[in-house]
Amino acid sequence: MFNLRYQYQLFCLAVSFFSRLPIPASTPYSDERMNRAGRYFALVGLILGALCAITYSITAAWLPPQFAVFITMVFSLLLTGAFHEDGLTDMADGIGGGLTTERRLVIMKDSRIGTYGAATLIMALLGKFIMLSYLAEHTELALVLIVAYTLSRTVAASLIFDMHYVSDSSTSKSKPLANAQTVPELLFLVATGTLVCLLLVPDLSLVLIVAAVLFRSGFKAWLNARLGGFTGDCLGAAQQLMELLIYLILIASVHNQ
């Protein structure tokens, strides 16, 4: 169904789910609409990345790179409500602390943070700060943020297409996103992430795209082995891990020049 008003409403739902950005109060909501909004998740990442890029560019004009990176990271957490970081933390607790699939899912629903989750969150944020600080001194960080935010969300959202949803839908905030995507929706999602990658030099774009495919394949197999599918927390974890991988690849590229 392609109707400009309908598509705009789907985009607004995607924005509201993944960020704290305001949307029109009159935007209609239903589980089916939220499901169809999945095609715009990468586009939302593009917008979030652009806002963070603007924040970094402004602060970097007045402060040393490390301080600008710190402020940008804080802004990003406020912008998304630490949505994906929360997913990474819960997944680490569940898979790290549970010996069975059932126990892992129970732990992941617990709002308390355990040792596995705390350690993972600390290392993820610390690693992001170190990597972004390095990239800020050797690359155009604003562009890096746009690419990383978009491609990482492309990978995370694409997992919905061919994985089984295993969480309890009656208690899960990601219930509307649990149904399978259509092929056109997946293609739109992938096209968004791929086109944004082309902002970089061709060789680097290709490396990132191949890395995204390999990461998705490996992460999917890992989740299937431990949970038999995915949960909303796993999608957040996929986004965070893919984002970190993108930064690591870019650092390797710069370091070996």
Side-chain angles (χ1 to χ4, degrees):
M1 176 181 183
F2 188 84
N3 173 283
L4 191 57
R5 182 182 180 188
Y6 176 72
Q7 297 301 322
Y8 171 71
Q9 290 170 346
L10 294 184
F11 171 72
C12 287
L13 289 178
V15 169
S16 70
F17 193 84
F18 283 109
S19 77
R20 298 296 176 88
L21 294 173
I23 64 170
S26 59
T27 303
Y29 174 87
S30 69
D31 284 0
E32 175 61 21
R33 281 175 174 258
M34 193 69 242
N35 227 321
R36 301 282 71 82
R39 69 192 70 175
Y40 293 116
F41 292 167
L43 188 57
V44 172
L46 173 59
I47 292 173
L48 297 177
L51 291 173
C52 289
I54 292 171
T55 300
Y56 173 77
S57 297
I58 293 173
T59 53
W62 298 91
L63 297 170
Q66 292 86 349
F67 290 87
V69 165
F70 175 76
I71 291 173
T72 302
M73 287 181 61
V74 172
F75 174 74
S76 179
L77 291 171
L78 293 174
L79 190 61
T80 64
F83 187 70
H84 304 296
E85 288 81 2
D86 177 66
L88 176 65
T89 302
D90 288 342
M91 189 197 75
D93 271 334
I95 294 182
L99 298 179
T100 65
T101 297
E102 293 74 18
R103 182 56 183 163
R104 288 164 184 162
L105 292 173
V106 169
I107 294 174
M108 288 168 69
K109 291 186 180 72
D110 194 331
S111 60
R112 294 170 295 181
I113 298 179
T115 302
Y116 290 104
T120 301
L121 180 62
I122 290 171
M123 294 306 293
L125 291 175
L126 179 61
K128 191 177 297 187
F129 175 76
I130 293 172
M131 287 189 278
L132 288 177
S133 296
Y134 180 88
L135 289 169
E137 296 182 351
H138 296 86
T139 65
E140 182 58 51
L141 188 61
L143 181 59
V144 168
L145 291 170
I146 292 172
V147 172
Y149 274 53
T150 307
L151 183 59
S152 62
R153 284 163 177 80
T154 298
V155 172
S158 73
L159 292 169
I160 300 172
F161 179 73
D162 57 357
M163 289 191 70
H164 176 62
Y165 185 68
V166 295
S167 188
D168 180 2
S169 61
S170 65
T171 60
S172 173
K173 63 183 178 182
S174 65
K175 175 185 176 183
L177 306 181
N179 296 329
Q181 296 164 330
T182 64
V183 172
E185 288 168 347
L186 176 66
L187 291 177
F188 183 87
L189 183 72
V190 171
T192 304
T194 301
L195 289 174
V196 171
C197 280
L198 297 180
L199 294 172
L200 302 172
V201 297
D203 289 350
L204 194 52
S205 298
L206 180 60
V207 170
L208 289 179
I209 292 171
V210 171
V213 172
L214 293 176
F215 171 81
R216 183 190 186 279
S217 177
F219 193 67
K220 174 186 171 182
W222 186 74
L223 288 178
N224 281 333
R226 283 154 181 79
L227 297 176
F230 79 96
T231 69
D233 289 327
C234 296
L235 300 185
Q239 186 279 319
Q240 286 290 290
L241 294 174
M242 186 64 214
E243 184 182 341
L244 290 168
L245 178 59
I246 291 169
Y247 298 147
L248 193 61
I249 292 171
L250 295 176
I251 289 171
S253 174
V254 170
H255 182 68
N256 289 287
Q257 284 181 352

